[in-house]
Amino acid sequence: MTGKARDSIWIRLRNELGLSALIGSSRDTKILVFQRFVRLFAYAGTTLVLALHLAELGNSDTKIGLFMTLTLLGDILLSLFFTFTADRLGRRNVLALGAVAIITSGLVFGLVSNYWVLLVGATIGVISPTANEIGPFRAVEESIVAQLTPLSERGDIYSWYSLIGIVGQALGTIVCGWVIQVLESKRRWSTVQAYRFVFFGYAILGLIKLGSTLALSSACEIEEKKSVGQRSIRETADSQEDSPLLSEHVESQERKASNRLGFTVTKDSLVVLAEVCFLQSLEAIAIGLMPAQRSWIAFFFNQKFDIQEGRLGILFFINYLIQASANISAASIAKRLGLAKTMAMANLFHGAILVLIPIPESAPVAILFFMLKGCANVIGLRAAFIASMYLPEERTAFMGTTNVVRTASESLGPLVTGALAGANHFWVSFLLSGVMMASYGVGILALFGNGKSREERKEQTLARSGNEQRGD
């Protein structure tokens, strides 16, 4: 094979995997991808020890449950506030404040034993009980990435953004477990001392995140508002109203909303927000019922097939690798089928596999279905799809709202699963989760399967309007 042929194959492979988009992305985008790795590495480590640390301090299971619930509530309130004000306060400022919150929480948990002080530190700070994203970071970061990335490359960038976060989670869990084992067995530290060392490490990672945030450029901030002439074109693209009196009234009302929120809210925007939030709530409830609750999956395989923790750890690690690979493959498929259709197909497949997992009486077959479930991972595409549904000036606030809806919806699932497991009907949670996930896929096809994103429609309308003005 000649050198040119090898180079051609390598270039095609890079393009298919989305590496070309990542390599060619801006410096700010690369910094944000690095921040996500650091953040999820930190979340995974503290999640491993959070409940155990609270128990070691003498807190009851009830108090630990209350701690988790109030932490979630604090996350929702902080996310709503910061995502709706990020474009006015400055996106980099919000990310920096979040990094300071991580540092503060790490220091509080490393130094303090009082339950109520820890609760305040977790509620107003940033501590993840689930190793998943909390706080306003993701919405702000994804909004910045969408602004810095051409629409045609967003699927690739978001896929790598998600994949590198998954790698951070996996490594954070492994490193944290290894560090605790070394400190307890080799250094003869007490369990509480080892846990506190982890939280000090969490604070150091927050400091690294703060430093990388300060390295971001002004290109991350919201773009300057357009001129009056351009605004009128945008309003035409959104509403298609041509009555002067009605347009004047609508513009007056939208200007009031813009003054309060920092961007203009149109009827079309609210309809799309409601549709996207509805669909995301379906998926979040499905995830809450089963797929994202790794403790419940482990419980199922342990109870039904007596698979011990060591083997379960290996199974979850392999599943992580499959998820990461699927995330990249999905981005390549989306270039041909489109975001909406690819997501719909993946979630219909996901729903079917979830229904099948509890049926086999053979462990290898159930494990095979569990691994196939990892093939339906389209986290990166989901972010790209949501970003394309919102216009640039509303994206940060609306993506934050969507994340809050997801968090609140997902919190309902474990309650249902726990009740079903207690009644010896664990299999029903798989069934409900599968049905909800498949419904999510059908909903995407029904609402967004046949049309282009709002951003694409807006760009086309602006282009036509500009051509007409030049023609006049």
Side-chain angles (χ1 to χ4, degrees):
M1 185 182 293
T2 66
K4 286 186 176 180
R6 283 196 298 268
D7 290 344
S8 176
I9 292 174
W10 169 238
I11 291 172
R12 289 180 60 185
L13 182 62
R14 284 198 322 180
N15 291 336
E16 284 298 323
L17 295 178
L19 273 172
S20 296
L22 182 64
I23 294 171
S25 64
S26 68
R27 175 175 169 272
D28 289 327
T29 299
K30 294 183 179 72
I31 290 175
L32 292 173
V33 172
F34 169 74
Q35 284 195 4
R36 179 169 168 82
F37 172 85
V38 171
R39 189 169 64 253
L40 290 186
F41 183 99
Y43 287 168
T46 53
T47 297
L48 191 65
V49 303
L50 179 59
L52 296 173
H53 180 60
L54 292 172
E56 283 291 327
L57 294 176
N59 298 295
S60 67
D61 291 347
T62 301
K63 292 180 74 175
I64 294 174
L66 175 64
F67 188 98
M68 302 298 184
T69 300
L70 292 179
T71 300
L72 176 64
L73 177 61
D75 166 45
I76 291 175
L77 295 177
L78 285 175
S79 296
L80 276 175
F81 174 76
F82 280 116
T83 52
F84 269 90
T85 58
D87 289 339
R88 283 181 289 169
L89 296 176
R91 293 170 175 175
R92 290 175 296 172
N93 291 335
V94 169
L95 293 177
L97 285 172
V100 171
I102 289 177
I103 296 169
T104 303
S105 294
L107 293 176
V108 169
F109 275 76
L111 296 171
V112 178
S113 299
N114 183 273
Y115 174 85
W116 299 107
V117 176
L118 292 176
L119 180 59
V120 172
T123 303
I124 65 175
V126 177
I127 287 285
S128 174
T130 63
N132 293 323
E133 285 281 17
I134 62 170
F137 304 116
R138 184 173 182 174
V140 176
E141 286 181 356
E142 288 178 351
S143 182
I144 295 172
V145 169
Q147 179 172 300
L148 298 176
T149 308
L151 188 60
S152 59
E153 296 181 355
R154 279 186 201 155
D156 292 332
I157 296 296
Y158 280 129
S159 293
W160 281 99
Y161 175 83
S162 299
L163 182 150
I164 291 173
I166 291 172
V167 172
Q169 285 178 311
L171 291 178
T173 302
I174 292 172
V175 171
C176 179
W178 177 79
V179 167
I180 291 172
Q181 183 175 343
V182 169
L183 291 176
E184 289 182 335
S185 61
K186 304 292 185 181
R187 299 287 183 177
R188 303 299 180 186
W189 286 23
S190 70
T191 302
V192 171
Q193 286 178 319
Y195 291 163
R196 284 179 170 166
F197 182 84
V198 170
F199 286 110
F200 282 129
Y202 183 73
I204 292 173
L205 291 171
L207 189 61
I208 294 173
K209 185 183 183 307
L210 176 61
S212 63
T213 298
L214 297 176
L216 293 171
S217 73
S218 59
C220 297
E221 304 298 345
I222 186 70
E223 295 173 336
E224 293 295 324
K225 294 185 177 181
K226 296 175 172 56
S227 63
V228 175
Q230 289 175 309
R231 187 174 67 233
S232 65
I233 294 174
R234 179 188 54 74
E235 289 171 353
T236 301
D238 274 348
S239 64
Q240 298 295 323
E241 297 286 355
D242 51 19
S243 167
L245 291 176
L246 181 58
S247 295
E248 183 179 346
H249 172 72
V250 170
E251 182 178 352
S252 174
Q253 294 300 315
E254 290 179 353
R255 189 181 298 113
K256 292 179 181 178
S258 178
N259 290 335
R260 292 192 299 269
L261 299 176
F263 60 91
T264 300
V265 179
T266 66
K267 181 179 179 181
D268 181 50
S269 298
L270 293 177
V271 170
V272 171
L273 175 64
E275 291 174 343
V276 173
C277 285
F278 170 72
L279 291 177
Q280 292 304 303
S281 67
L282 290 179
E283 186 195 29
I285 292 173
I287 289 174
L289 283 165
M290 188 54 57
Q293 304 300 320
R294 295 183 182 89
S295 57
W296 282 124
I297 291 283
F299 178 82
F300 168 77
F301 279 109
N302 178 267
Q303 293 295 307
K304 185 168 183 176
F305 302 112
D306 195 30
I307 299 177
Q308 299 305 305
E309 287 80 358
R311 292 182 61 194
L312 285 173
I314 296 173
L315 292 179
F316 283 128
F317 182 75
I318 295 173
N319 190 260
Y320 265 131
L321 296 180
I322 293 174
Q323 286 184 41
S325 301
N327 215 41
I328 298 302
S329 301
S332 179
I333 296 172
K335 294 174 184 176
R336 295 162 175 80
L337 298 183
L339 286 172
K341 290 181 180 178
T342 305
M343 286 182 59
M345 289 174 56
N347 284 286
L348 286 169
F349 174 75
H350 197 171
I353 291 297
L354 283 169
V355 173
L356 293 175
I357 288 177
I359 294 177
E361 295 299 324
S362 166
V365 178
I367 291 171
L368 173 63
F369 287 146
F370 174 58
M371 295 303 170
L372 287 174
K373 185 181 81 68
C375 296
N377 185 294
V378 289
I379 297 174
L381 293 190
R382 181 178 69 205
F385 170 75
I386 295 173
S388 70
M389 288 297 107
Y390 300 141
L391 300 179
E393 62 270 19
E394 67 195 24
R395 189 176 287 135
T396 303
F398 280 11
M399 290 183 78
T401 302
T402 305
N403 285 342
V404 166
V405 170
R406 285 187 60 85
T407 301
S409 300
E410 188 175 330
S411 66
L412 301 175
L415 298 175
V416 177
T417 300
L420 290 170
N424 202 27
H425 295 306
F426 204 177
W427 63 271
V428 178
S429 63
F430 284 93
L431 175 63
L432 292 175
S433 182
V435 170
M436 296 294 285
M437 192 66 72
S439 299
Y440 172 55
V442 172
I444 291 175
L445 280 178
L447 293 175
F448 303 109
N450 296 323
K452 296 183 178 180
S453 69
R454 286 178 70 216
E455 193 169 4
E456 289 175 306
R457 295 199 304 269
K458 177 183 175 181
E459 288 176 357
Q460 291 176 351
T461 303
L462 288 172
R464 285 198 303 269
S465 301
N467 291 334
E468 290 174 0
Q469 288 184 347
R470 283 193 294 271
D472 293 340

